[in-house]
Amino acid sequence: MRKNLFVLAVISLLLLVGCSQQETLTKAEDNNSNHIGKNASVVVIPTRESILKDGYPTNENGQTYGPNIRDLMLVEPDLISAIGIDGTIGYVKKDDLDGPMPKTPEEAVRLTKEAKPREIPLYDVDGETIIGKFIVGG
């Protein structure tokens, strides 16, 4: 039983690491907003310093947002800053990045073997407006 739990933990960790290969963005120190791409609006991305001081900001829908600084924070934001396939800067939902979670060690092995790039929506900071597409695992 312990061996199965250990195998499941290792496989889950590998899945999470593989799914989180993404580019994160940080806002410039002068508080300028970045935007690239034809569909982009001004996207505000909080700095690491402001997140460490005040925590992740929350949008009008109650979702936290910002760059994923998991090396310094215990929790990840609901919306993680990312660059879409056309260069648009926006946010992806943490749940979309994680994808389906395996229920058994066998399913984890199967999902790992069958892993291929997948497309997920890129959102504005409101977490509702789709402004592009992001490739996970690509």
Side-chain angles (χ1 to χ4, degrees):
M1 180 68 174
R2 279 187 114 160
K3 185 176 180 181
N4 287 344
L5 287 175
F6 177 76
V7 170
L8 178 60
V10 169
I11 291 172
S12 295
L13 179 62
L14 290 173
L15 279 172
L16 288 173
V17 169
C19 290
S20 67
Q21 292 178 350
Q22 63 183 354
E23 278 189 79
T24 58
L25 307 171
T26 57
K27 188 174 172 189
E29 289 300 320
D30 65 358
N31 290 329
N32 288 334
S33 297
N34 297 315
H35 71 280
I36 302 174
K38 61 183 179 192
N39 297 326
S41 60
V42 175
V43 176
V44 176
I45 301 176
T47 63
R48 293 170 70 94
E49 292 78 16
S50 69
I51 293 169
L52 291 172
K53 180 181 175 204
D54 302 320
Y56 285 109
T58 304
N59 67 15
E60 63 272 10
N61 294 316
Q63 298 166 304
T64 55
Y65 64 91
N68 186 359
I69 56 172
R70 75 180 101 177
D71 56 324
L72 301 175
M73 300 291 287
L74 295 177
V75 297
E76 296 174 305
D78 301 314
L79 301 170
I80 300 171
S81 54
I83 300 176
I85 59 176
D86 67 351
T88 301
I89 297 173
Y91 292 91
V92 293
K93 292 182 178 178
K94 180 185 177 322
D95 293 340
D96 290 344
L97 275 177
D98 291 344
M101 295 306 290
K103 294 177 177 52
T104 65
E106 294 79 17
E107 185 179 3
V109 170
R110 183 181 54 76
L111 287 173
T112 302
K113 287 181 182 179
E114 296 173 359
K116 58 184 176 190
R118 56 188 172 85
E119 188 177 286
I120 61 173
L122 184 73
Y123 294 93
D124 197 354
V125 72
D126 64 9
E128 292 179 352
T129 307
I130 296 174
I131 59 173
K133 299 173 186 174
F134 181 79
I135 303 296
V136 178

